[in-house]
Amino acid sequence: MNACGETPIVFTASDLADGGKVFRELDPPARLAVFGDPVAHSASPPMHNAALKARGLEIQYVRIRVTSEELPQALRNLTTAGFLGASLTIPHKQAALPILNEVSLESRLMGAVNTVQVVDGKLRGHNTDGPGLSAAIREEFGIPLKELRVLILGGAGGAGRAITVQCALEGCPGITVANRKTEKGDALASEIMTARGVKVDSIALSTLSSEALQSAVANCDLIINATPLGMKADDPSPLPDGLLTAKHLVYDTVYSGGETALLKQSKMARSRCTNGFSMLLHQGALQNSLWFGEPAQVETMRKALTDLSS
Ligand code: NAP
């Protein structure tokens, strides 16, 4: 069941075969989808369908359960099934990279694609997670990401890597990547520093130990949680108590469930803080604008997401 208590309709990869007959016969026909495994929980269909309706388009966005083995063929079938594109979620964001005909420079550096666009029968990949986070920071705190010293907890993971790359592309005055083990952060930092378009001279590395985090937190303006800690109700905070102050901004990318332990800590310290709802919204709005070549109706999409959680 989804957040509305309904059993969502989930199509399968085999429905994309035969020129997508199943999707063409829907009313309205499906021309966009989210690929994932599992995918029934995805909040993307209501958000994207609201945006399609706002554009006055008689098409819909559906959930398709695609396994890892099915991904290459399912992506190729998007073109023959008449799709405009697709969103990719776990476990496909990294795996799609070598299958697509073209991948944006940013997505390649982020090591992942969350948006596929069909252009003249070819598959083009983008990543809107990094730019979506950037738009969310500006909206929530009224400060451009590029002006902030940022500490990214889990910064070498999937979403964390996209955020770290976004910070480097925007030229943030300080970037610290904190991972349980620093090897992953080390490899990512080396890759970023040799890439084109990067506007920073260095990326600092930290572990998630109390001692390492003490100085990392003291020397940053914005803390972003990109670990899965907070997705389960009884998860601890990724930060030890007593490090946050009222000068910190805290962005927890977790958007499911109630208030996370990190957000509770932030409120106690009087730090300005928010959950990952706005990143989800803005990465979706940017996907919609890529597919249609003009800005999305963000407020309509926001309302659809808010209605889901209320
Ligand atoms: P992921 O690829 O598995 O990366 C998770 C990162 O967190 C890794 O760097 C991992 O580091 C670290 N980690 C995992 N478990 C941990 C633990 N118990 N303690 C400390 N660090 C831990 O996951 P993901 O797909 O990027 O998702 C990460 C978070 O981002 C989730 O909370 C998800 O909800 C959120 N997210 C939000 C949005 C949005 O739109 N708001 C979009 C995407 C993702 P090591 O194993 O290397 O230590």
Side-chain angles (χ1 to χ4, degrees):
M1 287 209 298
N2 65 14
C4 303
E6 297 159 342
T7 304
I9 297 168
V10 177
F11 292 90
T12 63
S14 57
D15 293 325
L16 281 164
D18 301 328
K21 191 166 174 285
V22 172
F23 299 113
R24 292 177 196 272
E25 288 176 355
L26 291 174
D27 183 19
R31 306 275 308 277
L32 288 162
V34 51
F35 284 8
D37 185 20
V39 75
H41 66 285
S42 173
S44 294
M47 172 173 69
H48 280 295
N49 280 321
L52 294 175
K53 207 167 166 194
R55 287 190 187 281
L57 296 170
E58 296 281 310
I59 59 173
Q60 64 172 305
Y61 177 113
V62 294
R63 294 178 179 86
I64 307 182
R65 179 173 174 259
V66 174
T67 65
S68 297
E69 296 71 39
E70 292 168 331
L71 182 68
Q73 192 58 50
L75 283 170
R76 286 192 283 272
N77 283 347
L78 281 174
T79 55
T80 48
F83 274 60
L84 303 172
S87 310
L88 301 181
T89 187
I90 291 170
H92 302 317
K93 289 186 184 184
Q94 287 87 6
L97 271 171
I99 305 168
L100 303 173
N101 301 106
E102 286 172 38
V103 174
S104 70
L105 271 177
E106 295 79 12
S107 309
R108 205 164 283 291
L109 196 50
M110 289 172 186
V113 161
N114 77 337
T115 314
V116 178
Q117 190 185 13
V118 178
V119 183
D120 299 331
K122 298 258 189 288
L123 299 171
R124 195 177 282 173
H126 307 268
N127 193 319
T128 65
D129 281 335
L133 179 277
S134 181
I137 295 298
R138 186 185 278 268
E139 175 181 290
E140 301 282 3
F141 303 124
I143 306 174
L145 180 65
K146 68 176 182 193
E147 292 180 9
L148 297 167
R149 295 171 302 159
V150 188
L151 166 63
I152 307 130
L153 308 171
R161 180 177 170 127
I163 293 168
T164 302
V165 168
Q166 186 69 29
C167 292
L169 292 172
E170 293 199 19
C172 290
I175 303 174
T176 304
V177 170
N179 267 77
R180 287 181 291 196
K181 294 184 185 146
T182 49
E183 299 92 78
K184 260 164 79 177
D186 202 5
L188 174 61
S190 307
E191 213 181 310
I192 291 176
M193 295 319 299
T194 54
R196 261 199 295 153
V198 165
K199 295 185 185 153
V200 293
D201 298 327
S202 64
I203 292 177
L205 301 177
S206 171
T207 64
L208 290 172
S209 73
S210 305
E211 306 74 54
L213 286 174
Q214 193 161 9
S215 91
V217 171
N219 290 300
C220 77
D221 308 305
L222 169 67
I223 295 142
I224 300 176
N225 176 34
T227 77
L229 288 174
M231 292 180 80
K232 292 199 252 66
D234 56 354
D235 275 344
S237 168
L239 281 187
D241 283 334
L243 299 189
L244 292 172
T245 68
K247 77 171 176 70
H248 286 113
L249 307 174
V250 178
Y251 194 92
D252 197 338
T253 66
V254 174
Y255 55 83
S256 48
E259 193 170 63
T260 63
L262 175 62
L263 292 180
K264 286 187 183 125
Q265 268 177 337
S266 309
K267 285 186 179 170
M268 287 284 287
R270 300 188 184 281
S271 315
R272 290 173 67 195
C273 63
T274 186
N275 71 9
F277 176 94
S278 47
M279 176 178 169
L280 177 69
L281 169 68
H282 287 289
Q283 63 78 30
L286 290 167
Q287 291 186 318
N288 183 277
S289 60
L290 279 167
W291 291 323
F292 296 102
E294 51 185 43
Q297 301 258 5
V298 179
E299 293 316 312
T300 306
M301 297 175 84
R302 189 193 307 276
K303 182 172 183 321
L305 276 183
T306 311
D307 288 351
L308 253 190
S309 48
S310 58

